[in-house]
Amino acid sequence: MTITHAEEYREPQLVAPLIERIRRRSRKPVRLMEVCGTHTVSIFRSGIRSLLPETITLLSGPGCPVCVTAQRDIDACIALAAMPGVMLTTFGDLMRVPGSHGSLRQEKAAGHDIRIVYSAMDALELAAENPDRNVVFIGIGFETTAPTVAAAIAVANQRNIRNFLVYSVHKTVPQALEALVNDPETRIDGFLLPGHVSVITGLAAYRPFVSRHAIPCVVAGFEPADILLAIAMLIDQMEDGRAALENAYPRAVTEAGNAKAKALMQQVFEPVDAIWRGLGQIPASGLGFRGPYRNHDAAEALRPDPGNVQEPAACACGDVLKGIKTPLDCPLFGTACTPMHPVGPCMVSSEGTCAAYFRYHPRT
């Protein structure tokens, strides 16, 4: 049998010693946050939670881009979809996220032109084919996807495709870590840093944060052995009384990251303050448009009115994203809020913590 590169990191002979190492070393109670939504799903899918000693509590963090998008921005996207002459394009996850008074899926059913695309370049081509329409792409995601959106904007600028607009709700991870540790409600002893984001940013992006807060941080990949190694490295740090930035994903993450992707992102975007669901406004955690590219800014060109913004009543998504509640603490979980009838975004997204709990966590 041929073993693929990914499957090697699921082999029992690799995983079992890591579990033993964690059990042997872990003595004091600690709370570790996996920042990335893909980590959350992988941890549940592989059963890692059940393998860890009781001293370790895993918290799910704000690493799902759909989940952290503020209610105001969801409502603004819905308002954009209803504008005359607008063709709205988006990734599929956003379609079912409830806004204050509806969702993009409902807007599409009502007859508005909303299309699911697989990349910003797909949206750009739609703009080229429909010069009499404003084609708006919802730019959502972290440092992982922002460079590809920046590339589409740069190409649109080069080709003078003026009707290609982007509503940017991109966010950056290091600033969110800062907000989490400064929040008096949170209690986090260490972070599993996101592998995908770190491929772009490199370890260097986290060094100022770790230096300021002296909190253990380890970049993790996504296979069971990757995640267990990162947890073992965090436990080693804590039991040794150290706080360092370490890399458990060296086959993909370097110190400097992807220089070309970062340069493209910096060419098109500049840091701006952004509002995160649950975490509120975080300085310099969003990506706005730099001068030469501002004519592609949908917020500036179309000024969508989100109307009367209302957070979903009794929904605990904001607290779940900060790790101060689990989905099981939410009164709506599994009853009023399910994947078929989501009340909050954490139940919608494939990377959402509530969706992962609903699918994998025992409820008895």
Side-chain angles (χ1 to χ4, degrees):
M1 182 179 69
T2 301
I3 297 177
T4 68
H5 190 58
E7 285 173 338
E8 293 172 9
Y9 295 91
R10 304 168 192 165
E11 289 295 308
Q13 61 266 32
L14 193 58
V15 168
L18 290 168
I19 296 168
E20 175 56 29
R21 171 178 160 185
I22 293 167
R23 288 177 174 169
R24 189 176 65 252
R25 287 285 280 151
S26 183
R27 291 288 178 267
K28 55 189 176 187
V30 295
R31 292 162 61 86
L32 310 180
M33 175 174 279
E34 81 268 3
V35 177
C36 176
T38 308
H39 278 155
T40 298
V41 174
S42 182
I43 286 168
F44 272 112
R45 184 185 292 140
S46 57
I48 284 177
R49 283 172 177 261
S50 64
L51 301 173
L52 298 178
E54 292 182 355
T55 47
I56 299 175
T57 300
L58 291 181
L59 310 170
S60 301
C64 159
V66 168
C67 305
V68 297
T69 299
Q71 192 77 354
R72 171 173 290 277
D73 285 322
I74 298 294
D75 290 346
C77 292
I78 292 171
L80 281 167
M83 284 185 170
V86 166
M87 178 194 302
L88 192 77
T89 61
T90 179
F91 298 137
D93 269 9
L94 211 54
M95 292 293 291
R96 296 197 309 127
V97 175
S100 299
H101 309 288
S103 67
L104 289 175
R105 185 171 67 170
Q106 290 170 318
E107 291 297 318
K108 184 175 178 62
H112 296 118
D113 193 353
I114 303 173
R115 306 191 189 189
I116 295 174
V117 293
Y118 295 101
S119 73
M121 286 294 184
D122 291 345
L124 174 60
E125 291 310 314
L126 285 170
E129 294 164 5
N130 297 273
D132 57 333
R133 307 278 301 279
N134 281 317
V135 176
V136 179
F137 177 72
I138 301 174
I140 188 170
F142 301 111
E143 292 92 332
T144 320
T145 53
T148 65
V149 180
I153 294 168
V155 171
N157 216 43
Q158 278 181 341
R159 292 169 57 185
N160 199 29
I161 303 175
R162 300 291 181 183
N163 64 320
F164 176 67
L165 304 173
V166 173
Y167 187 76
S168 176
V169 287
H170 293 107
K171 293 177 173 60
T172 50
V173 169
Q175 290 75 14
L177 302 180
E178 194 84 36
L180 283 166
V181 297
N182 287 331
D183 190 321
E185 290 187 292
T186 64
R187 186 165 64 81
I188 303 165
D189 300 307
F191 287 101
L192 269 79
L193 297 177
H196 292 150
V197 164
S198 303
V199 168
I200 303 298
T201 65
L203 288 178
Y206 307 107
R207 294 208 177 277
F209 166 73
V210 176
S211 176
R212 273 195 297 275
H213 296 283
I215 185 168
C217 291
V218 177
V219 175
F222 298 96
E223 298 302 327
D226 292 319
I227 295 169
L228 286 167
L229 175 60
I231 292 172
M233 292 167 73
L234 282 172
I235 296 301
D236 284 345
Q237 286 193 41
M238 293 171 189
E239 294 296 335
D240 294 342
R242 297 183 289 115
L245 172 62
E246 295 180 323
N247 186 6
Y249 197 30
R251 67 182 186 280
V253 174
T254 64
E255 175 67 24
N258 186 322
K260 286 185 179 178
K262 289 194 294 185
L264 188 54
M265 198 162 50
Q266 290 166 5
Q267 173 189 327
V268 174
F269 295 127
E270 62 184 2
V272 295
D273 296 350
I275 299 175
W276 297 54
R277 189 184 296 266
L279 280 72
Q281 180 164 300
I282 304 177
S285 67
L287 295 175
F289 291 76
R290 289 194 186 276
Y293 302 98
R294 284 181 184 153
N295 54 355
H296 295 285
D297 182 356
E300 179 66 27
L302 301 178
R303 298 185 179 276
D305 180 3
N308 180 23
V309 178
Q310 297 177 9
E311 298 289 340
C315 173
C317 278
D319 289 341
V320 169
L321 292 166
K322 292 198 297 185
I324 61 177
K325 284 186 178 178
T326 75
L328 304 179
D329 299 321
C330 177
L332 307 182
F333 179 79
T335 54
C337 183
T338 67
M340 290 299 292
H341 301 285
V343 175
C346 295
M347 188 60 91
V348 177
S349 173
S350 59
E351 296 183 353
T353 303
C354 296
Y357 264 77
F358 189 91
R359 184 170 185 182
Y360 297 108
H361 195 282
R363 274 169 277 159
T364 56

